[in-house]
Amino acid sequence: MKPLHSIFIVDDDPIHQQITQIMLDRLSISNDVTKFSDAQDVLEHLRTHTNDAAALPDVILLDLNMPIMDGWEFLEAFSLLRPQLCKDIKVYVLTSSIDDTDKERVNKFDFVAGYLTKPLTNDVIMKLGR
Amino acid sequence: MNNALLNQVVEAFPDAVAVFDTDLRFVSCNRVFAADHIRYLGTEMKPGDSMYKLCEACCPELLQQSLYNWERAIAGERLTFAVAVGEPPVHFQISLSPLFNEQQVQEAVIMVCRNIQPELDARENERFFRSVLENLPVGLQQFSPDGWSRDINEMQRQILGETHPAVNNLPYNVHEDPINRRSGLNELLGEVVRRKAPVKKEMLLKYKEEKEEGQDVTRLVPLYYEGTGFPVMGMNGEIAYLFLILSEITEKKLAQISLEKSERLLYNIVENLPVGYIQFDNFGFIHRVNQTQRRFFAHSGLEEQPEAYNMISDPFARLFDMEELFMQVLQKGKMMRAEKKLEFEMDIAGGKMNREVFLDVTMFPVEDPVDKDQIVVALVNDITEKKRQELENAKAQEFLLQTGETGKIGGWEYDMTTGLLRWSAQTYKIHELPPFATITLEKALSFYTHESRKKVSQAVNACIERGKAFDLPVSLNTARNNLLQVRAIGKPEYRNGRIVRLYGVIQDVTEQFKIRDQLTRNTELMRLFFDTIDMGYAVMDKDGKVNFINRKAQEIVDHGKVIGKNIFEVFPMLEGSTFHARVRQCMQLQAPVSFSYYLPAPDKWYEFLLAPMQDGNISIFTRNITDSKKMQRELRKANDQLSSLNKYLVNQNKQLEDFAHITSHNLRAPIANLKALMQIMNETDSEEEKELYNSMFQEVIRNIDETLNDLIEIVQIRKDLNVERERLSFEERLQKVKDILFVDIETSGIEVITDFGEAPDIVYPRIYLDSLLQNLLTNAIKYRRPGIRPSMRFRSRLEDGAVVLTAEDNGIGIDMERYGAKLFGFRKTFHKNKDAKGIGLYITKSQIEAMGGSIQAESHIGTGTKFIITFSPE
């Protein structure tokens, strides 16, 4: 299995960030996990590195419920930014919400690779690698 | 004396010359003298003849004078005198000169007789002409070819006026006077010079002041002149002089102008006559058409070429015998009048239409005053409308006659003086008598039934005696013994104050009677019918008079006798009411109108249906709908309650949804964390890791605890719908909150300003108001703007009976565009503030809404936030 190089975890819950990182480390999915509490920071990082493939992540795990900028706003902004990026980034929504309306709303963003509900399981993490 | 030389000299004179000596003896004469002498005196003088002979021969009356003059000449005087000889007199100028010899001794006298008659004649002529010209009644002025005035006659002096330079013999050039350019005089003379021929022109040369008699008004009257200029040519073919003749033509001109004016007036009158006017010449060509006629032509489509229109040859005119009429007028010289009916097709909006026109044509001959031609004028009056009216009238008359027939109305008249009774044909018919059978008053009365006869007799007598007209419903038996109901009407006719005639009609109303009978029966049936139905029914006329009312309606109005009375007088309160308005609406629209009407006195609702009837009356249907109306009101009340309940339920539902959302998001998150922690803890054997996970467990559980507590608080709010309310003072409660937040207020230095003057207190649950004030104030402190002194302004006021509380801070503000929708959401935070948990505003909103109020926010980043809380009216 080819390990993923870079994963961004975007979540305002520090416990969740920590747990996710531990799980990713255990399965050796990635050797480069970056944690963000604010989606705004992620967006700024991507904007400043549109042409720097090494600085861009391979996968973003995005929470929906966040203060300041929530997951929805990030998705809107990212859909505009995506064509300028030199790398195809896989975005997974990772949320505690099991609300169907949220799921449908996420489906409208066709570039989202998957809708995952917390907690993450090893099976799900293994699928991310494929 | 050298006689030979003298003779030669004498002979050389062109005039008659004679020489005589000092003894008055004729010496010699020249040939002219001899010829004259023979011609005038018939004698011949011989040398040596006495000069007496000369005098005797010609003019003895001149002898003394001649002798005297001769003696003077002999005495040595040289003299000249004139004599007239013969009849008619011929004037001679006689010159006598003494002749001397060498010794200066007078020897003889030479007499030169010069015939001056032609000279005299010429001079006389000139004087005559001059005086003629001077006294001509026209102005005459002579000019040099370049315009200098040379001579002028008396009339011209008058025309020019005494101040004119030419009149005063001052140099005057006609071309240099600007006034002549205006009058056209220059042009006239210029043309004379150019053409070297006489030129004539009419000119307005000046104005005369005319004083109105007896009035202080001066009028300026224009003076018109006819100016004639002509040249007098010199010997060399050049113009020697210019002459100008001016003759005043003012009167002529004014007459001409007034003629033109009256002609124009006449033209206008003719043009605007409401009657068509056509003027033909004696060949039938149209010369003039006025506008009425033109319009008529246009209507009839005949206007193609009215000028070239010739009546005699026009087939159309021939068709209607117009040309015959025209010829008659022309030949007999008489006015003719005829009515003509014209039918023609005319184009109307693409289609053809037959039109019928009646014309009243009057033609008369007129002699043209100028060229004495016979002309014919046709006046054409469109009498179509009048004609149509006549036809209408005839039709109406015919119709009347037929009405008499069908209406079974006959006429009668009774002549008081002769005692004769006359019936019309219809009257005979009604009586079933053969027409025009002799009839008397007695016989006529005999047809009536016993009772009717008495009535009619009385009425006829009353009419005869007192002139009382009558109109009686009576019965009569016809000649064929049929019983009829008739209406007998009679009236008197007066002449000179005396009744001379009775006249009237008799109408067979048997059928009407039958119909009325039937009608009465029907009405009765209707009454029965209407009385049995369980609905009020009434008929009233347009003014409100009740003509019919059924039992039910009578019960409803509950008011003695209504029939025959005006409903608006019986019930004055109906005047100007909805009922009244609806009645008018029904009348106006001529359509049924339905409405409900509340009568407050009996506390009853009635439903009305108003329907217009053909005879102008209104049918009123009414029904007591009080019960159903009351039921309806109950229903509406129940409906209102239901809808408010529904609203409440919808609100509850929404809150439940909210709650479900909160649960799914905010409770699931820590649970998911627990699950994940369990998984990774189970997968490890390392004690160290387990220690870490344990601490994480504790953190998550603390988190869950907090969230649950928040949720419980919210649930509590929702449960406490009927929490106790009390009258609370804003000022007092705020003070309590300030006490609690004392430390925060002190550290932040926030300035709290209040204005509760307009609404100082409110009936509200105490804990909710405290919580509200505390949340608002906490937010203002928490989200204060760095660098400036934070402030919070509370204000309460009344708006539409509801208390409105505003709380305005000068904090960092919220991006309303971005967060407006989520501002009051559960666990929503918009600031990177560690204290922000996103629960305060959610609870605040929940509490306010639970009490039926609402909260809104207005905010601008960097300016501050203003919360507006509207409490439900008490």
Side-chain angles (χ1 to χ4, degrees):
Chain A
M1 190 185 74
K2 178 179 156 264
L4 292 167
H5 290 292
S6 169
I7 297 181
F8 282 9
I9 299 170
V10 189
D11 200 308
D12 65 317
D13 180 358
I15 304 276
H16 179 258
Q17 284 178 3
Q18 214 174 340
I19 293 168
T20 308
Q21 188 173 14
I22 291 166
M23 292 175 91
L24 291 172
D25 287 349
R26 283 235 186 115
L27 293 167
S28 306
I29 291 293
S30 168
N31 45 13
D32 182 11
V33 174
T34 317
K35 296 176 283 187
F36 292 88
S37 297
D38 189 350
Q40 191 81 47
D41 296 343
V42 183
L43 213 55
E44 258 150 45
H45 178 90
L46 298 179
R47 275 200 186 113
T48 48
H49 300 97
T50 47
N51 293 314
D52 183 1
L56 294 178
D58 298 296
V59 169
I60 294 175
L61 296 175
L62 179 71
D63 186 22
L64 289 178
N65 269 325
M66 286 179 290
I68 320 291
M69 177 181 263
D70 63 17
W72 304 114
E73 283 177 277
F74 177 83
L75 286 172
E76 293 285 352
F78 183 77
S79 71
L80 297 175
L81 182 65
R82 211 166 69 92
Q84 299 163 32
L85 299 173
C86 64
K87 193 171 176 182
D88 186 29
I89 300 170
K90 283 191 173 168
V91 177
Y92 290 91
V93 168
L94 176 59
T95 175
S96 58
S97 171
I98 49 165
D99 199 328
D100 282 344
T101 55
D102 284 345
K103 207 165 181 172
E104 279 164 29
R105 204 172 145 197
V106 167
N107 285 340
K108 297 236 170 76
F109 299 93
D110 51 5
F111 59 84
V112 174
Y115 184 92
L116 314 173
T117 51
K118 294 176 185 176
L120 275 175
T121 58
N122 289 339
D123 294 347
V124 173
I125 293 170
M126 292 310 286
K127 276 179 197 158
L128 294 181
R130 258 172 251 153
Chain B
M1 183 163 169
N2 191 345
N3 269 333
L5 182 67
L6 179 68
N7 281 343
Q8 279 176 48
V9 171
V10 167
E11 196 59 47
F13 266 96
D15 295 322
V17 178
V19 180
F20 56 91
D21 63 15
T22 47
D23 296 327
L24 287 174
R25 273 192 307 255
F26 183 77
V27 179
S28 68
C29 69
N30 66 354
R31 233 172 271 160
V32 180
F33 188 93
D36 274 3
H37 212 257
I38 292 164
R39 189 183 341 153
Y40 293 116
L41 305 174
T43 60
E44 198 178 340
M45 292 288 281
K46 289 181 190 76
D49 282 354
S50 167
M51 286 301 280
Y52 286 94
K53 189 182 170 187
L54 182 70
C55 282
E56 273 166 3
C58 66
C59 34
E61 73 274 9
L62 290 177
L63 182 62
Q64 285 304 314
Q65 191 198 357
S66 299
L67 277 175
Y68 169 71
N69 286 326
W70 287 336
E71 288 299 338
R72 281 168 67 190
I74 290 166
E77 200 175 339
R78 184 186 289 263
L79 60 122
T80 302
F81 60 95
V83 292
V85 180
E87 194 61 44
V90 177
H91 285 81
F92 288 92
Q93 186 186 43
I94 313 287
S95 303
L96 298 172
S97 297
L99 290 173
F100 300 92
N101 63 7
E102 286 83 0
Q103 290 81 36
Q104 293 301 311
V105 176
Q106 188 172 351
E107 276 186 353
V109 173
I110 183 165
M111 180 170 72
V112 180
C113 304
R114 189 163 165 218
N115 187 346
I116 58 163
Q117 195 56 49
E119 255 173 75
L120 273 178
D121 284 354
R123 204 175 301 153
E124 188 62 35
N125 272 350
E126 198 194 327
R127 217 178 16 247
F128 172 73
F129 281 123
R130 194 160 278 281
S131 92
V132 166
L133 293 179
E134 183 66 22
N135 295 307
L136 271 182
V138 296
L140 188 63
Q141 196 169 3
Q142 185 188 351
F143 296 98
S144 69
D146 48 1
W148 291 100
S149 174
R150 284 284 177 255
D151 205 352
I152 192 164
N153 77 345
E154 176 57 28
M155 196 63 205
Q156 183 71 356
R157 275 191 285 274
Q158 282 180 24
I159 292 170
L160 295 178
E162 55 189 14
T163 56
H164 196 277
V167 173
N168 295 301
N169 286 324
L170 296 167
Y172 174 76
N173 191 309
V174 72
H175 293 305
E176 285 167 10
D177 191 344
I179 197 158
N180 296 324
R181 207 167 311 139
R182 266 214 308 278
S183 65
L185 192 59
N186 276 353
E187 205 185 314
L188 175 83
L189 292 176
E191 203 177 333
V192 171
V193 171
R194 238 184 359 265
R195 287 169 48 190
K196 293 183 179 169
V199 176
K200 197 182 268 188
K201 198 169 194 173
E202 280 179 10
M203 290 178 285
L204 169 62
L205 278 191
K206 61 175 190 174
Y207 290 89
K208 186 171 73 178
E209 285 187 359
E210 220 169 55
K211 210 131 172 112
E212 287 264 313
E213 244 177 85
Q215 285 180 38
D216 199 18
V217 175
T218 307
R219 250 174 227 280
L220 278 179
V221 181
L223 291 180
Y224 292 92
Y225 289 88
E226 184 184 76
T228 311
F230 60 89
V232 173
M233 309 306 282
M235 302 298 263
N236 51 4
E238 290 299 310
I239 294 172
Y241 294 111
L242 289 176
F243 274 92
L244 171 69
I245 298 172
L246 289 180
S247 65
E248 196 192 326
I249 51 158
T250 305
E251 241 169 79
K252 191 176 122 197
K253 188 75 185 172
L254 288 180
Q256 192 185 336
I257 288 172
S258 84
L259 190 71
E260 276 171 12
K261 260 190 213 163
S262 56
E263 211 172 58
R264 249 196 326 267
L265 185 67
L266 188 69
Y267 182 88
N268 264 331
I269 292 171
V270 168
E271 182 65 13
N272 294 304
L273 274 183
V275 173
Y277 176 96
I278 319 173
Q279 187 180 314
F280 297 96
D281 66 7
N282 51 2
F283 301 108
F285 282 105
I286 287 183
H287 273 229
R288 218 175 113 192
V289 173
N290 75 345
Q291 56 138 333
T292 308
Q293 187 61 28
R294 276 200 297 278
R295 217 163 34 227
F296 176 69
F297 274 144
H299 278 320
S300 57
L302 288 179
E303 209 203 8
E304 282 95 45
Q305 276 181 325
E307 275 98 305
Y309 175 85
N310 184 306
M311 196 162 61
I312 299 175
S313 62
D314 181 60
F316 182 78
R318 290 175 86 91
L319 189 62
F320 298 106
D321 302 329
M322 290 292 208
E323 108 281 5
E324 204 173 292
L325 195 67
F326 178 78
M327 294 309 283
Q328 277 178 2
V329 168
L330 206 58
Q331 281 158 10
K332 294 183 186 166
K334 274 201 312 189
M335 187 192 90
M336 306 285 276
R337 190 168 178 178
E339 268 182 22
K340 298 281 174 195
K341 181 176 158 191
L342 270 67
E343 279 175 82
F344 46 82
E345 275 194 340
M346 62 188 289
D347 293 315
I348 287 178
K352 293 247 181 208
M353 189 182 130
N354 277 321
R355 196 166 168 236
E356 196 180 71
V357 174
F358 289 92
L359 297 180
D360 177 0
V361 181
T362 309
M363 283 199 194
F364 52 92
V366 182
E367 192 180 66
D368 189 303
V370 183
D371 41 27
K372 306 291 175 202
D373 265 351
Q374 192 72 264
I375 57 177
V376 171
V377 169
L379 299 179
V380 183
N381 203 358
D382 187 346
I383 51 161
T384 312
E385 204 44 51
K386 193 177 128 205
K387 202 75 191 170
R388 196 171 294 149
Q389 202 63 50
E390 275 175 22
L391 285 175
E392 275 308 301
N393 284 352
K395 258 187 230 165
Q397 230 157 20
E398 177 72 13
F399 176 71
L400 213 64
L401 216 67
Q402 282 173 358
T403 314
E405 191 98 9
T406 50
K408 295 186 179 171
I409 300 169
W412 59 266
E413 67 169 353
Y414 178 66
D415 192 320
M416 294 292 292
T417 42
T418 59
L420 285 176
L421 178 67
R422 285 206 308 144
W423 278 5
S424 77
Q426 188 60 31
T427 309
Y428 281 102
K429 211 167 176 181
I430 290 168
H431 287 79
E432 293 190 284
L433 274 176
F436 311 118
T438 328
I439 192 78
T440 62
L441 194 58
E442 287 71 34
K443 193 175 174 194
L445 283 169
S446 71
F447 286 102
Y448 292 97
T449 58
H450 182 70
E451 210 159 305
S452 294
R453 197 180 311 145
K454 235 196 294 186
K455 277 207 265 180
V456 174
S457 300
Q458 276 173 4
V460 168
N461 282 335
C463 189
I464 291 169
E465 282 161 22
R466 301 191 296 279
K468 191 166 176 280
F470 60 88
D471 182 353
L472 302 169
V474 287
S475 318
L476 64 76
N477 282 304
T478 67
R480 291 193 188 149
N481 210 19
N482 286 317
L483 182 67
L484 296 182
Q485 300 299 322
V486 298
R487 192 174 162 195
I489 297 172
K491 277 180 188 169
E493 184 182 296
Y494 288 89
R495 195 168 300 151
N496 300 328
R498 286 188 54 199
I499 294 175
V500 291
R501 191 170 81 107
L502 299 189
Y503 68 99
V505 295
I506 184 158
Q507 183 184 13
D508 178 359
V509 291
T510 315
E511 259 174 62
Q512 278 100 312
F513 252 78
K514 278 184 195 156
I515 291 166
R516 202 178 298 162
D517 262 12
Q518 188 65 38
L519 212 64
T520 317
R521 222 168 305 139
N522 283 351
T523 311
E524 204 47 49
L525 269 171
M526 199 172 74
R527 181 180 298 281
L528 272 171
F529 166 71
F530 280 119
D531 275 352
T532 47
I533 60 165
D534 186 28
M535 198 180 211
Y537 177 76
V539 176
M540 64 178 218
D541 70 11
K542 60 180 173 14
D543 297 321
K545 200 182 106 187
V546 179
N547 289 331
F548 178 85
I549 184 159
N550 75 347
R551 196 179 297 157
K552 190 79 188 173
Q554 188 71 48
E555 276 172 34
I556 290 168
V557 298
D558 189 24
H559 186 285
K561 192 171 178 280
V562 179
I563 199 153
K565 290 184 183 164
N566 189 311
I567 190 84
F568 297 109
E569 282 163 16
V570 178
F571 300 108
M573 70 278 196
L574 285 178
E575 187 77 45
S577 67
T578 314
F579 179 79
H580 199 175
R582 296 299 186 159
V583 167
R584 268 189 301 228
Q585 185 188 355
C586 173
M587 292 301 296
Q588 200 185 340
L589 300 176
Q590 279 299 304
V593 172
S594 66
F595 62 99
S596 322
Y597 188 58
Y598 177 68
L599 292 170
D603 182 27
K604 277 178 180 164
W605 280 92
Y606 288 96
E607 183 179 64
F608 283 92
L609 173 69
L610 305 180
M613 291 161 77
Q614 277 183 347
D615 56 5
N617 289 336
I618 297 180
S619 280
I620 305 169
F621 298 88
T622 183
R623 202 155 54 91
N624 184 343
I625 51 155
T626 311
D627 289 346
S628 70
K629 199 80 185 175
K630 278 187 177 153
M631 215 132 77
Q632 204 177 327
R633 211 186 311 161
E634 294 287 316
L635 204 65
R636 192 177 301 154
K637 211 196 268 173
N639 216 23
D640 281 351
Q641 284 172 345
L642 206 64
S643 112
S644 89
L645 189 66
N646 195 35
K647 216 153 85 187
Y648 175 75
L649 286 176
V650 164
N651 196 30
Q652 289 269 300
N653 223 20
K654 195 184 160 288
Q655 286 177 348
L656 277 176
E657 249 172 57
D658 261 11
F659 205 72
H661 191 76
I662 290 164
T663 323
S664 101
H665 280 90
N666 303 82
L667 274 178
R668 260 203 105 257
I671 304 281
N673 282 345
L674 284 182
K675 266 170 104 176
L677 271 174
M678 288 285 279
Q679 193 188 339
I680 53 174
M681 195 150 102
N682 287 340
E683 284 167 4
T684 186
D685 296 325
S686 154
E687 280 303 316
E688 210 175 306
E689 271 184 53
K690 280 185 180 171
E691 197 63 32
L692 173 68
Y693 300 152
N694 255 327
S695 70
M696 282 170 77
F697 264 124
Q698 276 172 23
E699 178 68 23
V700 174
I701 287 165
R702 197 185 54 78
N703 224 326
I704 291 175
D705 189 45
E706 197 177 300
T707 305
L708 279 175
N709 280 338
D710 287 345
L711 283 174
I712 285 162
E713 189 175 349
I714 292 156
V715 172
Q716 198 60 40
I717 294 165
R718 285 161 202 270
K719 238 174 76 187
D720 286 351
L721 273 182
N722 297 315
V723 70
E724 198 189 336
R725 299 158 194 236
E726 55 191 306
R727 186 158 290 280
L728 303 167
S729 154
F730 280 118
E731 198 66 67
E732 223 170 83
R733 292 332 297 168
L734 184 62
Q735 191 51 52
K736 208 86 189 167
V737 169
K738 274 156 85 179
D739 290 348
I740 294 165
L741 298 175
F742 179 73
V743 179
D744 290 336
I745 289 169
E746 282 302 301
T747 21
S748 65
I750 193 164
E751 177 191 25
V752 180
I753 305 154
T754 58
D755 174 11
F756 299 128
E758 202 176 314
D761 43 27
I762 184 172
V763 176
Y764 208 68
R766 185 199 298 233
I767 47 160
Y768 287 0
L769 187 59
D770 286 1
S771 154
L772 170 65
L773 294 173
Q774 189 174 338
N775 262 324
L776 291 172
L777 193 51
T778 311
N779 274 345
I781 293 165
K782 232 191 249 178
Y783 305 111
R784 61 182 182 270
R785 192 143 33 108
I788 64 162
R789 186 184 176 193
S791 78
M792 179 67 161
R793 180 187 298 270
F794 286 104
R795 181 165 174 245
S796 66
R797 58 198 160 88
L798 282 167
E799 200 170 272
D800 298 330
V803 176
V804 175
L805 176 73
T806 55
E808 195 172 1
D809 65 33
N810 63 347
I812 54 178
I814 305 160
D815 183 349
M816 290 303 284
E817 217 170 292
R818 192 163 164 192
Y819 304 119
K822 300 189 247 170
L823 185 58
F824 298 103
F826 184 73
R827 291 262 163 132
K828 301 285 182 193
T829 53
F830 321 103
H831 305 277
K832 293 184 185 177
N833 190 322
K834 287 268 179 329
D835 295 339
K837 289 195 294 180
I839 190 80
L841 281 176
Y842 182 78
I843 288 175
T844 300
K845 183 177 154 76
S846 299
Q847 286 176 340
I848 290 166
E849 284 181 351
M851 302 315 295
S854 67
I855 180 164
Q856 284 167 295
E858 290 170 6
S859 185
H860 296 283
I861 288 180
T863 308
T865 307
K866 180 182 185 183
F867 288 97
I868 302 147
I869 299 103
T870 308
F871 297 102
S872 141
E874 286 161 28

